Amino acid sequence: MNNKTLVVCGIQWGDEGKGKMTDYLAQQADVVVRFQGGNNAGHTITFDGNKYALQSIPSGIFSPHIVNVMANGMVINPKAAIGELEKLEERGIRDYQLFISDRAAVIMPYHIELDGAYESLKGGKQIGTTKKGIGPAYTDKAARIGIRMGDLLDPEYFAERLRDALAQKNMELKMFGKQEMNFDELYKEYLGYGEKLRKHICDTSILLNKLIQEGKKVLFEGAQGVMLCIDNGTYPFVTSSSPTAASVPLGAGIAPRYIDNVLGICKAYTTRVGAGPFPTEIEGDLANYIRERGHEYGTVTGRPRRVGYLDCVALRHACRVSGVTNLSIMLFDVLSGMEKLKICVGYELDGKRIDYVPSCLSALERCKPVYEELPGWTEEITEIRDYDRLPAQAKAYIRRIEELTGVQVAVVSVGPDRTQTINRKEIF
Ligand code: GDP
Ligand code: IMO
Ligand code: MG
């Protein structure tokens, strides 16, 4: 078993606390890699009284010794990435190592424009995207008209790629009654971003393979969550990449054999931002209680997050498709003060009990959760660092998650700060 690489993988609908866990584990890492998604992510990190929200920059950026990689599977908005680095600099984060793949896709302004335009076509069936141009950028990558980070460093080739892309994209913009985009302006602006980022851009696959072969400890920081996976999630209410561990080798340019361990990051309850099926969703006082205690408002868009009970059917699905080897239960402190806790142990579909997530959206929308009830606890647990000192009911809740998922809970998080973490087992 190779304990030198670990995937930090969200296993719900995103915002599970991947930023916190990546930062926590990064204290022992040499390398932190983002391998999919872009600045649709919002990863919150809290330490020494400071709170940071990262979108496309890897969460290892705070430690000068860590090699941070934005790998080829990402879609990168260079303007936004430069903005993030400038904001970090204002807060004194200047001493870091950052490498950006020359093969990563570039998010262009027309992607952002079209993200909104396609959503507006959907009437009442909007996905509720983050409007960062993620879907349209991945679409262009697959359609082979995308621009890659390395292209920005080659003025002639970039001109050719941009001309070809604009020929199509301006037709689409026109179709939506939107202003066409000007080649000269975009060309100049994006060449400028290339120049600014030139010192970071390289072949990150060569770099990563070398570091892995040297025995360095590498964390792969997933964005979003398995239920938002383009292949395994609640399609079409998903993002346009795969946040599963399976996407690490492809998105980072390394061999699958380098990935053995996957830490599933899981909230002690469920949230979802944006539209789409959510069988265990709750509303009313209890939802508000959880939303306020957990500060459940989107990091990127500020939208209130939808809230619900823990869904172990979805968790089993996510653990299976992403090969989760250990779990980290996050925001566990939020549950203090709830008299009773419910866990979804199965679904009822058209009067029949099922224990899997149906692929078809219309079936999933008809699924009613089957609940099991567990007693809650009243004590605040944010100061506890020793697992055995947790209230008995809290430990019973964790044990039930382990039974229902078949995966051991290695970490329990009891607050947003790096130190508010109970580690039960060495995993990295
Ligand atoms: P990510 O996208 O998976 O990195 O998660 P987000 O940062 O979007 O959302 C998680 C939120 O929960 C952030 O505000 C974190 O600071 C916060 N958080 C993380 N772990 C804990 C925890 O154990 N307890 C509490 N109360 N908050 C936490
Ligand atoms: P982190 O990494 C939560 C959701 C959006 C929308 C759907 C598609 O912070 O967990 P997109 O802009 O990707 O095309 O939107 O996916 N979504 C997220 N929800 N956390 C995220 O990232 C998300 N990234 C995208 O709300 O429903
Ligand atoms: Mg987030």
Side-chain angles (χ1 to χ4, degrees):
M1 203 70 163
N2 169 15
N3 278 323
K4 297 216 157 169
T5 63
L6 180 68
V7 183
V8 175
C9 178
I11 56 171
Q12 293 159 315
W13 280 274
D15 301 327
E16 300 91 345
K18 298 174 293 292
K20 170 182 166 163
M21 276 317 291
T22 306
D23 169 69
Y24 172 79
L25 294 162
Q27 304 316 303
Q28 313 147 50
D30 302 303
V31 187
V32 176
V33 186
R34 278 279 310 266
F35 56 93
Q36 46 77 228
N39 60 335
N40 48 349
H43 293 183
T44 317
I45 289 136
T46 311
F47 61 91
D48 296 344
N50 293 310
K51 185 170 160 178
Y52 302 90
L54 297 174
Q55 293 194 246
S56 56
I57 304 295
S59 296
I61 202 74
F62 306 101
S63 305
H65 79 274
I66 292 183
V67 173
N68 289 279
V69 177
M70 295 165 72
N72 56 280
M74 285 188 78
V75 285
I76 299 174
N77 176 334
K79 183 182 180 179
I82 291 167
E84 274 190 85
L85 291 173
E86 283 170 356
K87 265 211 237 148
L88 286 169
E89 189 171 339
E90 279 165 25
R91 298 182 65 183
I93 313 297
R94 301 187 177 94
D95 190 10
Y96 52 77
Q97 303 180 59
L98 177 67
F99 298 88
I100 301 174
S101 170
D102 47 10
R103 290 183 171 82
V106 180
I107 301 179
M108 299 293 288
Y110 44 79
H111 293 137
I112 298 168
E113 212 40 50
L114 289 169
D115 198 347
Y118 287 127
E119 279 279 89
S120 69
L121 273 190
K122 295 197 166 108
K125 293 180 187 153
Q126 290 174 352
I127 293 165
T129 74
T130 58
K131 301 224 169 69
K132 300 289 181 192
I134 306 296
Y138 275 118
T139 301
D140 278 6
K141 172 178 171 171
R144 293 157 294 186
I145 56 161
I147 289 163
R148 309 211 285 185
M149 288 302 291
D151 301 349
L152 302 180
L153 306 181
D154 182 334
E156 259 179 51
Y157 184 62
F158 176 46
E160 193 185 315
R161 293 297 294 167
L162 182 60
R163 243 186 222 106
D164 290 348
L166 271 184
Q168 281 194 34
K169 296 291 122 180
N170 273 338
M171 273 168 63
E172 284 179 53
L173 288 169
K174 220 157 82 185
M175 194 176 79
F176 282 109
K178 302 240 174 219
Q179 179 112 37
E180 290 179 46
M181 295 205 175
N182 178 280
F183 171 85
D184 291 328
E185 279 169 29
L186 276 188
Y187 181 66
K188 212 168 133 224
E189 185 182 347
Y190 279 74
L191 267 190
Y193 297 143
E195 269 322 303
K196 269 209 161 143
L197 294 172
R198 181 181 284 275
K199 61 174 185 280
H200 301 291
I201 300 174
C202 66
D203 187 324
T204 55
S205 165
I206 295 176
L207 173 72
L208 268 175
N209 277 275
K210 180 171 160 283
L211 293 168
I212 291 172
Q213 274 149 23
E214 285 169 3
K216 295 285 194 287
K217 295 188 84 170
V218 186
L219 275 178
F220 294 95
E221 178 182 10
Q224 292 81 52
V226 174
M227 299 312 286
L228 288 170
C229 171
I230 182 88
D231 275 276
N232 301 289
T234 49
Y235 191 88
F237 293 92
V238 293
T239 190
S240 297
S241 69
S242 172
T244 65
S247 112
V248 172
L250 189 63
I254 62 165
R257 69 173 179 277
Y258 290 137
I259 306 298
D260 283 330
N261 295 307
V262 181
L263 182 64
I265 312 297
C266 174
K267 261 181 196 169
Y269 46 94
T270 313
T271 61
R272 175 164 201 171
V273 43
F278 183 175
T280 62
E281 183 168 16
I282 51 174
E283 278 165 28
D285 290 349
L286 188 56
N288 290 334
Y289 180 81
I290 294 176
R291 188 174 297 112
E292 294 315 313
R293 276 181 69 86
H295 306 290
E296 294 295 357
Y297 295 88
T299 314
V300 177
T301 55
R303 290 178 286 182
R305 293 178 184 142
R306 299 159 66 194
V307 172
Y309 292 116
L310 193 67
D311 182 345
C312 281
V313 182
L315 285 187
R316 268 200 304 269
H317 173 89
C319 287
R320 184 182 75 248
V321 302
S322 197
V324 171
T325 48
N326 281 287
L327 287 172
S328 186
I329 301 299
M330 311 299 293
L331 293 106
F332 199 41
D333 52 300
V334 172
L335 297 186
S336 289
M338 283 171 62
E339 205 180 309
K340 278 186 240 145
L341 296 163
K342 283 187 186 177
I343 297 186
C344 169
V345 295
Y347 295 153
E348 197 187 289
L349 174 61
D350 304 333
K352 245 179 76 186
R353 170 91 179 248
I354 61 168
D355 63 356
Y356 61 89
V357 179
S359 67
C360 181
L361 196 81
S362 76
L364 184 55
E365 274 169 346
R366 292 199 307 280
C367 281
K368 294 191 185 76
V370 177
Y371 286 118
E372 197 175 278
E373 236 175 52
L374 276 82
W377 60 92
T378 52
E379 303 92 315
E380 289 294 348
I381 58 173
T382 54
E383 300 301 321
I384 296 178
R385 301 291 176 268
D386 176 2
Y387 187 78
D388 292 330
R389 293 195 40 225
L390 284 171
Q393 302 91 318
K395 283 187 280 193
Y397 189 75
I398 297 281
R399 208 172 309 121
R400 196 66 190 122
I401 296 173
E402 293 183 322
E403 285 165 5
L404 289 164
T405 57
V407 184
Q408 207 180 350
V409 173
V411 181
V412 178
S413 175
V414 291
D417 193 82
R418 193 188 273 171
T419 59
Q420 291 177 300
T421 312
I422 302 174
N423 199 0
R424 295 176 74 193
K425 182 181 164 198
E426 277 320 307
I427 45 166
F428 182 52

